[in-house]
């Protein structure tokens, strides 16, 4: 059975012996049944039933078998592929050898080939070509998103004098010379001008851009003339010449002879390789009823649906000995926020805070509401005769416990805070508590945009004087929300106020949801929220520097893009988005805050919407929310930064390395439950670390929608009464990043090929192992 056209051919045969010379086509082989031996220029492999193989262009290959088989052979014209995707042949394509054809992506490729085979068997004359091109286009898209191999800059390795830019340009030309390629196209891809790139290319290569392309095409044409019997017009078309006459004219100028004369002379020359002769083909038809029987067998499908991502593969080759370290990674201080001071009397709150403090360092506790409005300050608290009783006993419990934990305490005040009450509290506290407890207290006053400058100044000066009298070591800062737009009138009033020059720090929130319009589906609009917390902090710091003010910035609450309902808030996994902002904030703020628990925070409102003004570390029953594990992974990062990019962070700590991959994606949270939609944001990573040898222990932490996310586990409970205590504990056990570990012997390098879902995080930790006693194996 065979269907053929200028763009492609589809054959299903019993192949006993077949030999294919080099050509410009990409070939896919699917052995439906039987076995065969495949031999190419680079390898020889035995193909068993259901095996897949990709043969790249410009390779000769041979397939032999001693018994009957059913082999599907799909040949795609290289010229047609390049019309669809100019840079397709900038990479090679292969089935991963360690996958054994068992990857979900391999099952997806078989599924598409099955659909192509079915349409070929049906052979609807009026629409077959359209339907076949549909499946072939999906196959090509799957190849680019799942089966690309890392680009090897072989040219630069052989010519170390070339710059990295020109090496990339030459590799692009070598991959695309068979089509019309222009200097303007290359310059645009390199983000430089044509004139500048033209001068640099001539300087390093010794020839002009077009001279190099023409010479390359003529060399490839000469190889085809010597080693094949293809006609001149076919060679001219395959090598990118506009016509046979143009190739002949250029050929005469370059080789001082016509193409036909060159072919005749080179074949007769004793030192020239002889034209390869076919050893004889043995091809047999396969009965149509047999093909239908094979199609009716159950289809194996992996976990993934057709997840065709439009993003190119992220490829990096990092030569470790050549990388120069920058400053060590910085971890900023962390405070945990509770709403009311009296929340700290609750046993469950204390238990969760203590548990949190054991897992990661906590700098202090932030009391969000003005502390003097707490119910703990009922009547009688300020009576010196009652200092050991009633309400003061509860205050004693709270602040003594915080002092034992050695946590700082941030207490909020406002314009309505009475200075006389503040003074009586501080006086009694100094008399009652030891300096070890009161020494960690810090205060912040909320800036009011409605009050006059005179009122704000009077309150500030009165509270500041009171603090200086009783707790001179305590810091006193200003809290302001700051508008989403830069340079708002209310912001200017604070930035130009003399009060700011008296403050010890400036505190603020940064909520990306200030920009979120769920009715706005424009990706460009949504992308503006990707780094909103980082950008907002950067704008504030810039405004301070312009006024020659140097103040530590405290980010007490912040959030990235999320949804405002229960569904979108839980369904939109944001691990990498959170990590990207956290890494950016670490370099700019003195302190960063998180709410303790979404239940205490009052996250769920009466109208079934969610308070998204800040990030909560926990959900009900003390279950860790995603930001908890992002913080946990962030705290594991340590050492000098060798590479610091949006989607890749490489650190060196002592003799080990840490590699963090982040697939940061922003899209409308309303679409986060559409699996077919979010799968389009999957990203492939090919990373090679050169310069590693010996035995290494490699740990991998994977955190994504399917590995560690909390809400999919809760939603998986199909009980009308909800989870019971045993189920809650199981969810807590499962809601953590997946961990794997193995030992590996490396020879001059280590490489990975991974596919990450939207906003997934993957952390690799590489630690060298000392050789065992008596281990004399080569390192």
């Amino acid at each position: 059975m065979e269907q053929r056209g200028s763009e492609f051919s589809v054959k299903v045969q019993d192949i006993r012996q077949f030999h294919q010379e080099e050509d410009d086509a990409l070939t896919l082989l699917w052995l439906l049944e039987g076995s065969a031996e495949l031999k190419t220029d680079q390898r020889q492999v035995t193909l068993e039933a259901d095996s897949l193989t990709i043969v790249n262009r410009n390779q000769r290959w041979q397939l032999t078998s001693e018994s009957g088989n059913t082999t599907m052979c799909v040949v795609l014209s290289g010229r047609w592929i390049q019309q669809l995707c100019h840079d397709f042949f900038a990479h090679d394509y292969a089935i991963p050898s360690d996958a054994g054809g068992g990857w979900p992506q391999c099952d997806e490729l078989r599924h598409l080939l099955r659909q192509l085979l079915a349409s070929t068997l049906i052979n609807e004359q009026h629409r077959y070509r359209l339907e076949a091109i549909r499946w072939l286009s999906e196959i090509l898209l799957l190849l680019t998103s799942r089966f690309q191999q890392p680009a090897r800059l072989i040219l630069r390795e052989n010519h170390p004098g070339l710059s990295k830019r020109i090496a990339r340009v030459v590799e692009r030309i070598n991959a695309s010379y068979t089509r019309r390629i222009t200097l303007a196209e290359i310059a645009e891809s390199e983000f430089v001008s044509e004139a500048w790139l033209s001068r640099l290319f001539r300087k390093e290569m010794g020839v002009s851009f077009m001279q190099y392309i023409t010479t390359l095409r003529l060399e490839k044409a000469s190889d085809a003339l010597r080693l094949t019997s293809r006609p001149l017009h076919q060679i001219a078309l395959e090598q990118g010449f506009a016509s046979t006459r143009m190739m002949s004219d250029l050929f005469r100028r370059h080789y001082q002879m016509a193409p036909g004369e060159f072919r005749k002379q080179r074949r007769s020359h004793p030192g020239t390789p002889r034209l390869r002769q076919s050893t004889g083909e043995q091809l047999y038809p396969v009965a149509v009823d047999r093909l239908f029987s094979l199609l009716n067998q159950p289809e194996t499908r992996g976990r993934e649906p057709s997840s065709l991502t439009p993003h190119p593969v992220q490829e990096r080759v990092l030569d470790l000995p050549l990388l120069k370290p920058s400053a060590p990674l910085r971890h900023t201080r962390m405070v945990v926020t509770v709403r009311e001071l009296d929340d700290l009397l609750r046993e469950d709150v204390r238990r969760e805070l203590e548990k949190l403090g054991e897992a990661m360092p906590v700098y202090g506790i932030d009391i969000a509401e003005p502390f003097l409005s707490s119910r703990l300050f009922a009547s009688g608290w300020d009576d010196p005769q009652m200092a050991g009783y009633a309400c003061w006993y509860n205050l004693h419990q709270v602040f003594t416990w915080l002092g034992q934990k050695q946590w700082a305490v941030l207490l909020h005040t406002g314009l309505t805070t009475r200075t006389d009450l503040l003074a009586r509290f501080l006086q009694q506290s100094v008399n009652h508590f030891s300096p070890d407890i009161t020494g960690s207290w810090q205060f912040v006053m909320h800036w009011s945009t409605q009050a006059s400058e005179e009122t704000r100044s009077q309150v500030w000066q009165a509270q500041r004087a009171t603090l200086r009298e009783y707790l001179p070591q305590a810091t006193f800062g200003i809290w302001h929300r700051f508008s989403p737009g830069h340079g708002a009138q209310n912001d200017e009033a604070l930035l130009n106020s003399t009060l700011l020059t008296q403050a010890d720090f400036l505190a603020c929130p940064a909520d990306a949801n200030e920009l979120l319009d769920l009715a706005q589906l424009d990706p460009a609009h949504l992308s503006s929220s990707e780094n909103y917390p980082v950008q907002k902090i950067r704008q504030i710091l810039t405004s301070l520097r312009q006024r020659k003010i140097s103040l530590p910035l405290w980010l007490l609450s912040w959030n990235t893009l999320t949804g405002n309902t229960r569904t979108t808030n839980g369904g939109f996994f944001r691990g990498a988005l959170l990590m990207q902002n956290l890494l950016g904030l670490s370099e700019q703020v003195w302190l960063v805050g998180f709410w303790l628990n979404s239940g205490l925070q009052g996250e769920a409102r009466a109208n079934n919407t969610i308070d998204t003004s800040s990030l909560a570390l926990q959900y009900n029953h003390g279950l860790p929310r995603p930001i908890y594990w992002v913080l946990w992974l962030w705290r594991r990062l340590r050492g000098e930064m060798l590479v610091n990019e949006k989607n890749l962070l490489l650190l060196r700590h002592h003799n080990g390395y840490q590699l963090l991959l982040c697939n940061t994606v922003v899209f409308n949270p309303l679409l986060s439950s559409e699996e077919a939609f979010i799968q389009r944001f999957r990203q492939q990573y090919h990373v090679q670390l050169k310069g590693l040898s010996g035995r290494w222990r490699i740990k991998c932490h994977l955190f994504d929608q399917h590995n560690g996310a909390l809400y999919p586990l809760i939603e998986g409970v199909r009980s009308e009464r909800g989870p019971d205590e045993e189920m809650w504990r199981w969810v807590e056990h499962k809601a953590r990043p997946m961990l794997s570990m193995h030992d590996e012997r490396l020879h001059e390098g280590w490489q990975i090929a991974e596919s990450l879902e939207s906003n997934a995080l993957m952390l690799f930790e590489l630690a060298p192992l000392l050789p065992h006693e008596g281990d004399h194996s080569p390192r």
Side-chain angles (χ1 to χ4, degrees):
M1 184 210 69
E2 178 177 355
Q3 288 287 351
R4 181 182 293 274
S6 59
E7 301 98 344
F8 65 91
S9 69
V10 180
K11 304 177 185 177
V12 180
Q13 296 172 308
D14 178 0
I15 301 178
R16 306 298 176 88
Q17 186 164 319
F18 179 77
H19 183 89
Q20 177 64 50
E21 295 291 343
E22 299 102 327
D23 59 15
D24 193 43
L26 181 78
T27 303
L28 288 85
L29 297 174
W30 182 20
L31 202 68
L32 283 82
E33 60 178 357
S35 62
E37 292 288 331
L38 175 68
K39 185 177 181 180
T40 67
D41 293 335
Q42 286 117 6
R43 63 190 179 115
Q44 182 171 349
V45 63
T46 300
L47 303 180
E48 303 295 342
D50 215 26
S51 294
L52 291 169
T53 303
I54 302 173
V55 182
N56 292 283
R57 70 170 183 170
N58 298 326
Q59 285 192 26
R60 65 176 184 269
W61 56 277
Q62 181 177 347
L63 192 69
T64 58
S65 177
E66 297 180 356
S67 59
N69 60 77
T70 302
T71 304
M72 182 178 182
C73 179
V74 180
V75 180
L76 306 177
S77 163
R79 190 176 183 84
W80 176 63
I81 293 175
Q82 286 190 312
Q83 290 175 353
L84 299 175
C85 178
H86 290 170
D87 296 329
F88 185 88
F89 291 112
H91 306 82
D92 283 341
Y93 300 86
I95 306 296
S97 57
D98 58 347
W103 275 15
Q105 297 93 319
C106 296
D107 291 337
E108 186 61 26
L109 180 55
R110 293 187 187 93
H111 170 72
L112 295 175
L113 290 171
R114 181 186 291 261
Q115 298 298 323
L116 177 62
L117 177 56
S119 62
T120 304
L121 283 170
I122 296 172
N123 192 19
E124 179 66 42
Q125 294 184 358
H126 301 291
R127 64 179 188 181
Y128 167 70
R129 186 170 176 275
L130 287 175
E131 189 173 356
I133 289 177
R134 169 199 173 184
W135 299 117
L136 291 171
S137 298
E138 289 203 37
I139 288 172
L140 290 174
L141 186 55
L142 182 65
L143 293 181
T144 59
S145 62
R146 291 294 182 270
F147 297 96
Q148 281 184 356
Q149 296 296 302
R152 306 292 183 185
L153 295 180
I154 301 175
L155 181 80
R156 195 173 183 216
E157 294 176 0
N158 296 336
H159 301 81
L162 291 183
S163 65
K164 188 176 181 180
R165 186 185 298 278
I166 294 302
R168 280 200 309 268
V169 170
V170 173
E171 290 290 336
R172 184 184 291 269
I173 294 173
N174 292 347
S176 309
Y177 71 91
T178 58
R179 65 174 178 87
R180 184 178 180 272
I181 185 171
T182 65
L183 179 62
E185 173 190 335
I186 300 293
E188 182 180 1
S189 67
E190 291 291 326
F191 303 101
V192 297
S193 68
E194 294 181 49
W196 186 87
L197 183 61
S198 178
R199 290 194 298 270
L200 182 63
F201 190 93
R202 180 182 286 276
K203 177 182 177 181
E204 295 195 20
M205 299 300 296
V207 294
S208 70
F209 180 81
M210 285 309 303
Q211 286 174 335
Y212 180 84
I213 294 178
T214 301
T215 302
L216 178 62
R217 287 171 175 166
L218 289 172
E219 289 175 355
K220 297 294 184 180
S222 66
D223 289 340
L225 289 169
R226 287 187 298 109
L227 302 175
T228 73
S229 57
R230 292 197 291 273
L232 291 183
H233 70 86
Q234 184 178 350
I235 294 175
L237 183 65
E238 290 177 350
Q239 303 308 326
F241 292 101
S243 64
T244 307
R245 181 174 181 178
M246 176 177 287
M247 186 189 82
S248 298
D249 291 344
L250 292 171
F251 203 93
R252 284 192 182 94
R253 297 176 195 173
H254 190 80
Y255 290 101
Q256 286 76 49
M257 66 182 71
E261 184 181 356
F262 178 90
R263 168 176 273 175
K264 182 177 180 180
Q265 186 181 95
R266 291 300 187 273
R267 288 183 181 176
S268 60
H269 195 282
T272 302
R274 297 183 59 83
L275 178 67
R276 302 185 185 96
Q277 301 294 326
S278 172
T279 56
E281 297 180 351
Q282 297 181 30
L283 307 174
Y284 304 97
V286 177
V288 175
D289 59 344
R290 181 58 190 156
L291 289 179
F292 277 110
S293 175
L294 291 172
L295 286 174
N296 282 328
Q297 292 179 1
E299 186 176 2
T300 301
R301 299 296 300 275
R303 174 175 61 84
E304 300 178 354
S306 181
S307 49
L308 306 178
T309 172
H311 305 295
V313 175
Q314 295 283 340
E315 295 181 354
R316 292 302 305 272
V317 178
L318 304 173
D319 197 337
L320 296 177
L322 300 181
L323 295 177
K324 296 182 179 180
S326 59
L329 182 73
R330 180 175 180 267
H331 291 102
T332 189
R333 299 162 186 82
M334 184 181 80
V335 297
V336 182
T337 303
V338 296
R339 186 172 296 278
E340 301 276 1
L341 187 63
D342 47 292
D343 287 337
L344 296 177
L345 289 176
R346 293 174 47 175
E347 182 181 350
D348 58 337
V349 173
R350 290 195 187 191
R351 182 174 61 251
E352 296 305 332
L353 283 172
E354 289 175 346
K355 184 178 178 181
L356 183 65
E358 293 172 358
M360 57 188 72
V362 174
Y363 172 76
I365 305 298
D366 172 33
I367 312 300
E369 298 292 337
F371 75 103
L372 286 175
S373 64
S374 169
R375 65 179 179 86
L376 298 184
F377 293 92
S379 60
W381 69 269
D382 54 343
D383 184 354
Q385 301 299 323
M386 302 293 292
Y389 306 95
C391 297
W392 189 260
Y393 174 77
N394 291 327
L395 293 172
H396 172 87
Q397 291 285 92
V398 168
F399 288 111
T400 301
W401 179 77
L402 290 170
Q404 291 172 350
K405 297 299 176 186
Q406 297 183 337
W407 288 336
V409 186
L410 183 59
L411 301 172
H412 291 238
T413 67
L415 292 184
T416 60
T417 300
R418 289 172 50 185
T419 307
D420 60 330
L421 292 181
L422 177 62
R424 288 205 296 272
F425 167 73
L426 293 177
Q427 181 184 26
Q428 198 147 305
S429 297
V430 169
N431 291 331
H432 185 83
F433 296 114
S434 68
D436 292 339
I437 294 179
T438 58
S440 64
W441 293 1
Q442 302 174 64
F443 297 81
V444 61
M445 189 189 86
H446 284 231
W447 175 271
S448 174
T449 57
Q450 287 79 27
S452 65
E453 177 65 22
E454 181 182 1
T455 302
R456 289 191 293 251
S457 179
Q458 289 176 353
V459 174
W460 168 266
Q461 298 298 347
Q463 293 184 12
R464 184 167 180 264
T466 303
L467 287 173
R468 291 294 178 265
E469 180 180 357
Y470 295 103
L471 291 177
Q473 79 283 0
T475 58
F476 191 32
I478 296 176
W479 184 96
H480 180 51
R481 183 173 298 278
F482 286 97
S483 304
H486 181 54
Q489 183 177 356
N490 292 330
D491 299 344
E492 292 297 321
L494 169 64
L495 293 169
N496 295 324
S497 173
T498 57
L499 303 185
L500 202 57
T501 61
Q502 303 174 19
D504 296 311
F505 61 89
L506 179 60
C508 66
D511 181 11
N513 296 288
E514 296 171 352
L515 304 180
L516 177 60
D517 180 4
L518 290 173
Q520 174 62 264
L521 295 178
D522 180 17
H525 173 79
L526 292 170
S527 65
S528 64
S529 66
E530 179 176 328
N531 293 310
Y532 176 74
V534 177
Q535 296 299 330
K536 185 172 182 177
I537 294 298
R538 189 171 297 160
Q539 288 179 357
I540 296 172
L541 290 173
T542 300
S543 298
L544 292 175
R545 283 194 295 269
Q546 290 173 350
R547 292 163 175 81
K548 298 181 180 180
I549 299 175
S550 178
L551 278 179
L553 209 56
W554 294 19
L555 184 62
L556 294 184
S557 64
W558 63 285
N559 207 342
T560 61
L561 177 73
T562 182
N564 62 353
T565 68
R566 291 177 183 272
T567 301
T568 55
N569 185 261
F572 184 32
F573 183 79
R574 297 172 290 150
L577 190 57
L578 294 168
M579 177 65 81
Q580 178 185 345
N581 280 274
L582 187 59
L583 289 170
L585 291 170
S586 299
E587 299 298 322
Q588 303 184 79
V589 299
W590 190 84
L591 176 149
V592 64
F594 305 89
W595 283 78
L596 173 64
N597 189 290
S598 55
L600 295 177
Q601 180 181 354
E603 182 184 49
R605 299 184 177 127
N607 60 356
N608 206 37
T609 60
I610 301 294
D611 179 3
T612 60
S613 60
S614 62
L615 290 161
L617 296 166
Q618 296 175 346
Y619 184 64
N620 294 332
H621 297 265
L623 297 175
R625 296 186 67 170
I627 183 59
Y628 175 92
W629 292 115
V630 172
L631 274 171
W632 183 81
L633 289 170
W634 173 64
R635 293 299 311 187
R636 291 185 72 94
L637 299 174
R638 59 194 183 277
E640 302 170 314
M641 290 185 287
L642 300 179
V643 179
N644 184 14
E645 300 174 355
K646 175 182 176 181
N647 294 320
L648 187 148
L649 176 66
L650 179 63
L651 303 167
R652 180 173 63 198
H653 181 65
H654 298 312
N655 295 325
Y657 296 89
Q658 290 180 315
L659 175 66
L660 178 68
L661 303 179
C662 306
N663 181 20
T664 308
V665 179
V666 173
F667 57 86
N668 194 301
L670 288 176
L671 299 173
S672 61
S673 61
E674 299 295 331
E675 188 73 14
F677 175 81
I678 64 174
Q679 286 297 328
R680 292 185 60 83
F681 294 107
R682 290 183 66 94
Q683 178 69 67
Q684 270 197 305
Y685 293 84
H686 291 160
V687 182
Q688 181 181 6
L689 302 183
K690 299 176 67 175
L692 295 179
S693 298
R695 292 182 59 82
W696 291 74
R697 173 154 296 169
I698 301 172
K699 283 187 178 180
C700 175
H701 303 273
L702 173 61
F703 189 37
D704 61 17
Q705 186 77 27
H706 301 283
N707 297 275
L710 176 64
Y711 287 97
L713 294 170
I714 297 176
E715 292 171 356
V717 179
R718 302 301 182 186
S719 172
E720 295 181 359
R721 293 180 174 83
D724 57 14
E725 187 60 29
E726 182 180 12
M727 194 65 193
W728 284 124
R729 299 284 69 81
W730 179 86
V731 170
E732 182 181 17
H733 170 72
K734 292 289 290 183
R736 63 177 299 141
M738 184 186 74
L739 172 64
S740 61
M741 183 178 73
H742 69 279
D743 294 349
E744 188 172 342
R745 183 176 294 280
L746 305 179
H747 302 279
E748 299 302 325
W750 173 75
Q751 61 180 347
I752 57 162
E754 295 290 348
S755 178
L756 269 64
E757 293 186 348
S758 62
N759 283 309
L761 290 167
M762 183 170 280
L763 173 62
F764 293 94
E765 297 178 317
L766 290 79
L769 295 176
L770 296 176
H772 293 293
E773 185 176 353
D775 184 2
H776 301 294
S777 55
R779 295 184 62 82

